[in-house]
Amino acid sequence: MKRIALFLVTNLAVVVVLGVVASLLGVNRFLTANGLNLGALLVFSFIMGFGGAIISLLLSKTIAKWSSGVQVIDGTGSADEAWIVNTVRQFADKAGIGMPEVGIFQGEPNAFATGAFKNSALVAVSTGLLQGMTREEVEAVIGHEVAHIANGDMVTMTLIQGVMNTFVVFASRVIGYLVDSFLSRGEQRSGPGIGYFVTTIVLDIVFGFLAAIIVAWFSRQREFRADRGSTQLMGNKQPMIHALARLGGMVPGELPKSLQAMGITSGVGKLFSTHPPIEERIAALQNAA
């Protein structure tokens, strides 16, 4: 993973924008009118924190289609399209979820699944993946994406992101209040000053990136689980191992940022990487019972 997924960036942007709007509307003045109202601040932080995460989740499928140029297919086109749709349907039935939309997008080897609800998600594969892998390997990749949906990974990521956002908003405003109180000691005024506004905006961004590291760690764990999910849907772990090994020898296509958290990558497991290194994923499957 070369950059933070847009899912994380969108949350950060929403939190910052909501914070600025709240300041303009006088919410910060209300929170600090008679000293910092921690109870009101916690409620405010919760609404803002989960607001950004939920907005990102609800828009995820629409953004995915737009940003990657997904062509939704229904299986009535070519024989390959019919096979892809049928494969997704079989896995969805086996996983006990509603039939996702199925799409193809132009690009190097990659795939993703996204959507706010298990029964109305989207699974998309790239032309490079279809051309560079055997059918069994493509099936394993599709099984991995269906497992993401069945596991509720997008919702789980949203909840984790919401908790992190809440912490970001709460902590930045508490520290902002303390900084502003220090800078304005002895000065009489009815609301927060410039120190509060500057500090909260800066810390929203700084803490937002720290929160992204934690969210990325959780994301890497769910990749291992989706790999195992694919082996369960396939009834055999070798196709997923072979697919990962082939990906390790390819240059995975760079997805639009909005999809990176749900796609395939051969990243090196850096702090902001949402996917573990390919070799670790293969080792985990090989060591699985």
Side-chain angles (χ1 to χ4, degrees), residues 45-190:
S45 301
F46 181 85
I47 293 172
M48 287 208 14
F50 277 87
I54 291 173
I55 289 171
S56 296
L57 177 65
L58 294 176
L59 293 177
S60 61
K61 193 162 70 168
T62 299
I63 292 175
K65 293 178 181 178
W66 171 77
S67 60
S68 62
V70 172
Q71 176 187 356
V72 176
I73 59 175
D74 59 9
T76 60
S78 67
D80 284 341
E81 291 182 3
W83 167 72
I84 294 169
V85 171
N86 187 56
T87 299
V88 173
R89 179 177 291 108
Q90 289 178 350
F91 285 154
D93 289 344
K94 193 170 183 179
I97 62 174
M99 176 63 182
E101 286 188 273
V102 183
I104 297 176
F105 61 99
Q106 298 291 323
E108 298 301 316
N110 227 313
F112 67 85
T114 192
F117 307 103
K118 284 186 179 182
N119 294 325
S120 60
L122 169 70
V123 173
V125 296
S126 72
T127 53
L129 190 79
L130 297 174
Q131 295 165 1
M133 285 189 167
T134 66
R135 283 202 167 190
E136 186 177 60
E137 291 165 350
V138 173
E139 287 177 352
V141 172
I142 292 175
H144 173 97
E145 303 305 337
V146 170
H148 271 311
I149 300 171
N151 293 338
D153 283 341
M154 283 297 291
V155 173
T156 300
M157 290 290 287
T158 298
L159 294 176
I160 294 171
Q161 185 67 61
V163 171
M164 291 295 100
N165 286 349
T166 299
F167 166 79
V168 168
V169 175
F170 185 84
S172 64
R173 278 148 186 79
V174 169
I175 296 174
Y177 176 80
L178 295 176
V179 170
D180 191 58
S181 297
F182 175 79
L183 294 176
S184 63
R185 58 188 183 279
E187 180 181 343
Q188 295 295 323
R189 62 188 185 194
S190 59

Side-chain angles (χ1 to χ4, degrees), residues 133 242-252 264 266 278-279 282:
M133 285 189 167
H242 292 160
L244 289 170
R246 190 177 295 274
L247 283 170
M250 295 177 174
V251 178
I264 297 169
S266 59
I278 291 290
E279 58 270 18
I282 292 176

Side-chain angles (χ1 to χ4, degrees), residues 6-16 49 51-54 56 161-162 165:
L6 187 57
F7 178 75
L8 307 180
V9 177
T10 301
N11 278 280
L12 177 60
V14 170
V15 168
V16 172
I54 291 173
S56 296
Q161 185 67 61
N165 286 349

